[in-house]
Amino acid sequence: MIRAENLRHVYKSSSGNKVALDGVTFSIGAGEFVAIIGTNGSGKSTLAKHFNALLLPTGGKIFIDELDTTQEENIWRIRENVGMVFQNPDSEIVAAIVEDDVAFGLENLGIEPAQIRERVDLALDAVDMNDYKKFAPSKLSGGQKQRIAIAGVIAMQTKIIVFDEPTAMLDPLGRREILSMVKKLHAQGKTIIYITHFMEEAAAAQRVFVMENGKIILDGTPREIFTNVKEMKRLGFDVPVAVELAERLRKKFKLPPKILTAEELAEALR
Ligand code: ADP
Ligand code: MG
């Protein structure tokens, strides 16, 4: 369980202060899959970095399984429980060979070599990259690199995984692969926090946070959030293609309300 109470983050610099999180309160249950959307600069990445204490609150608090990130002695356990996958796969790769890269986090934990090899193999299987374990990461595509980064997190066996726009630099195929991996991890019981600007991806979550100006302004199911087309447009967001299509078709046909997916739209049109 993750709990934020009036969480604030102010970046201080010589050119002035920037309020990036302006009093954010929520709780996320174990095993939930939450997507976070928001315009550029709304505070998504700042929030992401609070989940594993890469940033510390300048006001309010965030608790990861009741561990307060502002208590120095909790940081180690928090980091053992929260894995992070970021946007740019190139900046996440640290080793010259795929299997060493996946093992990196485990070596830092001082785990035995035999166990490291086993966990690395399992993690590479999970992302379907075992054939590449002796490869140089530089030879891989963006999507493959992102899968290696995810394998590194899987190997750590954290309960919570935070993804900060992991598909932003990928092509449609790479995006689909990453999303299907995220769904699989959720099905296995991981808590998933998934930041994206692709509405179709956010629609795959159980719950969506909408951020604006450092605040969570909406918190609901994808159906609640995305079928409110007027509000989404007003806030400057797209809606999933099926929602948009259903909205237009309603001008000519009688369709049920709150259609979210292509499957639902096809069923309604039949
Ligand atoms: P998002 O991920 O939603 O695009 P960010 O969390 O990266 O938003 O940024 C939120 C706000 O904080 C933006 O206005 C951004 O310019 C500012 N910001 C982010 N990182 C820093 C930093 N290191 N120093 C100063 N301001 C920052
Ligand atoms: Mg960001």
Side-chain angles (χ1 to χ4, degrees):
M1 163 121 132
I2 301 165
R3 193 157 52 87
E5 281 172 8
N6 200 22
L7 179 63
R8 285 178 59 80
H9 194 92
V10 181
Y11 291 105
K12 294 203 166 77
S13 75
S14 48
S15 54
N17 292 349
K18 173 72 207 174
V19 180
L21 291 177
D22 190 9
V24 166
T25 298
F26 59 82
S27 69
I28 296 174
E32 262 197 280
F33 178 1
V34 179
I36 304 177
I37 61 174
T39 46
N40 275 341
S42 56
K44 304 178 300 297
S45 294
T46 303
L47 177 57
K49 290 178 190 139
H50 279 268
F51 288 112
N52 76 339
L54 275 177
L55 289 177
L56 297 177
T58 57
K61 284 189 188 274
I62 181 165
F63 301 86
I64 312 297
D65 282 337
E66 299 308 318
L67 298 171
D68 178 347
T69 63
T70 62
Q71 301 299 307
E72 181 77 37
E73 67 272 20
N74 289 339
I75 297 216
W76 182 257
R77 277 175 63 203
I78 289 169
R79 300 235 169 106
E80 276 183 337
N81 276 320
V82 185
M84 307 280 285
V85 178
F86 293 102
Q87 182 177 113
N88 184 350
D90 288 317
S91 62
E92 292 172 272
I93 305 274
V94 291
I97 299 173
V98 164
E99 63 180 351
D100 294 345
D101 194 79
V102 177
F104 184 77
L106 298 177
E107 275 158 6
N108 284 341
L109 290 180
I111 291 171
E112 287 173 42
Q115 216 206 332
I116 291 183
R117 274 194 298 278
E118 191 183 317
R119 284 215 216 170
V120 167
D121 270 348
L122 283 172
L124 283 170
D125 276 339
V127 299
D128 215 8
M129 286 294 287
N130 228 326
D131 292 347
Y132 295 86
K133 74 177 176 190
K134 302 286 180 196
F135 272 54
S138 57
K139 297 273 188 283
L140 303 177
S141 71
Q144 288 173 323
K145 284 182 200 162
Q146 232 16 350
R147 279 149 69 184
I148 297 304
I150 294 173
V153 171
I154 292 173
M156 300 287 283
Q157 300 178 346
T158 62
K159 290 193 280 190
I160 300 164
I161 309 180
V162 179
F163 295 86
D164 188 357
E165 302 203 29
T167 60
M169 303 175 80
L170 307 185
D171 60 18
L173 175 65
R175 291 213 293 271
R176 275 201 299 278
E177 285 172 356
I178 299 303
L179 187 65
S180 84
M181 244 147 247
V182 169
K183 287 179 181 168
K184 211 155 73 180
L185 288 166
H186 174 238
Q188 288 165 0
K190 306 275 188 197
T191 306
I192 306 284
I193 293 151
Y194 191 89
I195 299 170
T196 183
H197 64 261
F198 295 103
M199 301 304 126
E200 250 78 23
E201 294 183 348
Q206 295 172 310
R207 185 175 169 196
V208 179
F209 291 173
V210 181
M211 291 192 70
E212 193 180 69
N213 288 328
K215 291 197 162 80
I216 295 177
I217 55 165
L218 295 171
D219 170 2
T221 65
R223 195 177 303 282
E224 287 163 353
I225 301 287
F226 290 121
T227 60
N228 193 349
V229 179
K230 261 205 201 111
E231 178 71 352
M232 283 290 105
K233 296 258 153 108
R234 190 186 66 79
L235 293 168
F237 294 104
D238 288 326
V239 294
V241 176
V243 175
E244 176 87 45
L245 257 177
E247 191 75 358
R248 291 197 202 172
L249 286 165
R250 276 193 192 94
K251 296 196 171 87
K252 290 204 164 170
F253 303 98
K254 216 175 134 41
L255 288 177
K258 300 200 181 295
I259 288 174
L260 181 65
T261 66
E263 290 75 21
E264 290 167 5
L265 179 58
E267 181 59 29
L269 287 171
R270 270 195 332 128

